């Protein structure tokens, strides 16, 4: 098995690397911090390549994909996991560049990660493309306009890709996690319901990937929350 993972230097991405190394997968690890990538790769008992790349730099992502394929072959699984979360307010002019940065990483970066592998997988007629979105993409959350909108865009882009690749043998999985205990969430000053340890979250997401499920919320309790949020009348949602 060959697995290509972005955002691999810490948190969910690093845990995905540890999970798949545990079943003997060859890994491609992408992140912006070379030292962290090297430490991770050195700790894993499987062949791996590291790529110090900003996922929003699509030319560099094309090169990383090409390098991995030339060395190891077309991956069986590609996980577009890299993402950033920054609080923003629509009234703040200074938050417009922040919005741009979040959208570039969470949307352009996701597309730039998956696109280079579409045609090689299509030609082989197998493979799984995975995008890590979020329950935050179901409705616009106050103070999180950049993050919510980026994840909503990611969900819809992945859905478009899934339909485009129907009957090609290539699966597209959208995973919408709730709260996971990682450095990204540890700074949150509020209560996080149904939060999962990162190891357990990745174990559940790996099961989703193995089953090639089209769109799944992890954990299921947050799926119920998401279902309710999506169906609340706008006036009631605004009041709440």
């Amino acid at each position: 098995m060959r697995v290509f993972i972005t955002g691999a230097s810490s948190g969910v991405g690093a845990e995905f690397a540890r999970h798949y190394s545990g079943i003997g997968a060859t890994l491609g690890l992408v992140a912006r911090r070379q030292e962290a990538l090297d430490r991770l790769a050195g700790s894993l008992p499987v062949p791996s390549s590291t790529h110090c790349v900003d996922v929003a730099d699509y030319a560099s992502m094309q090169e990383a994909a090409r390098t991995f394929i030339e060395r190891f072959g077309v991956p069986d699984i590609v996980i577009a996991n890299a993402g950033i979360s920054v609080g923003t307010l629509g009234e703040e002019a200074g938050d417009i560049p922040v919005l741009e940065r979040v959208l570039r990483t969470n949307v352009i970066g996701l597309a730039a990660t998956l696109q280079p592998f579409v045609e090689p997988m299509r030609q082989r007629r197998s493979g799984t493309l995975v995008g890590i979105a979020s329950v935050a993409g179901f409705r616009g959350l106050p103070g999180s306009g950049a993050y919510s909108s980026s994840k909503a865009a990611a969900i819809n882009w992945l859905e478009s890709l899934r339909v485009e690749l129907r009957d090609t043998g290539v699966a597209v999985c959208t995973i919408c996690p709730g709260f996971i205990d990682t450095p990204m969430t540890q700074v949150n000053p509020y209560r996080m319901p149904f939060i999962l340890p990162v190891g357990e979250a990745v174990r559940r997401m790996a099961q989703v990937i193995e089953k090639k499920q089209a769109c799944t919320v992890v954990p299921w309790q947050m799926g119920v929350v998401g279902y309710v949020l999506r169906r609340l009348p706008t006036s009631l949602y605004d009041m709440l």
Side-chain angles (χ1 to χ4, degrees):
M1 178 185 289
R2 296 172 292 271
V3 184
F4 190 88
I5 305 164
T6 65
S9 60
S10 66
V12 170
E15 194 63 29
F16 266 124
R18 285 187 280 268
H19 172 84
Y20 284 108
S21 74
I23 56 176
T26 296
L27 301 175
L29 306 173
V30 178
R32 291 178 295 177
R33 296 181 294 157
Q34 186 67 59
E35 288 186 8
L37 283 176
D38 290 342
R39 283 196 302 272
L40 176 63
S43 71
L44 302 175
V46 294
S48 62
S49 60
T50 61
H51 310 269
C52 186
V53 176
D54 182 340
V55 293
D57 182 349
Y58 45 85
S60 295
M61 285 303 300
Q62 291 273 348
E63 180 60 28
R66 183 164 48 251
T67 299
F68 182 86
I69 291 173
E70 288 175 353
R71 182 175 176 186
F72 298 117
V74 178
D76 301 287
I77 300 171
V78 178
I79 304 175
N81 165 74
I84 56 176
S85 176
V86 183
T88 56
L89 291 172
E91 68 189 53
E92 295 290 341
D95 280 349
I96 298 299
V98 178
L99 170 64
E100 181 180 28
R101 179 163 62 92
V102 172
L103 290 173
R104 280 186 56 78
T105 299
N106 294 2
V107 185
I108 302 302
L110 179 142
T113 297
L114 301 182
Q115 182 278 325
F117 298 103
V118 170
E119 189 56 31
M121 285 185 171
R122 194 204 304 264
Q123 290 180 6
R124 192 183 59 188
R125 296 196 62 80
S126 69
T128 303
L129 301 169
V130 182
I132 305 300
S134 174
V135 174
F138 291 171
R139 297 295 295 252
L141 300 176
S144 297
Y147 187 70
S148 291
S149 61
S150 73
K151 293 304 184 178
I155 290 167
N156 282 276
W157 190 88
L158 289 161
E159 185 169 62
S160 297
L161 181 65
R162 186 178 70 248
V163 177
E164 290 166 8
L165 294 179
R166 183 179 175 180
D167 297 328
T168 65
V170 182
V172 178
C173 298
T174 304
I175 302 179
C176 298
F179 295 109
I180 301 174
D181 187 9
T182 66
M184 182 183 290
T185 59
Q186 286 164 4
V187 300
N188 291 344
Y190 47 81
R191 178 177 171 272
M192 293 174 281
F194 311 118
I195 189 168
L196 289 175
V198 66
E200 176 62 16
V202 165
R203 185 187 67 81
R204 296 189 191 189
M205 289 191 282
Q207 290 177 340
V208 169
I209 295 167
E210 183 178 2
K211 295 175 183 176
K212 303 182 189 299
Q213 294 178 354
C215 187
T216 307
V217 177
V218 175
W220 66 266
Q221 294 94 332
M222 286 302 291
V224 174
V225 173
Y227 180 89
V228 172
L229 283 175
R230 279 181 154 176
R231 285 155 181 79
L232 280 177
T234 301
S235 58
L236 180 56
Y237 178 77
D238 289 356
M239 180 178 69
L240 291 173

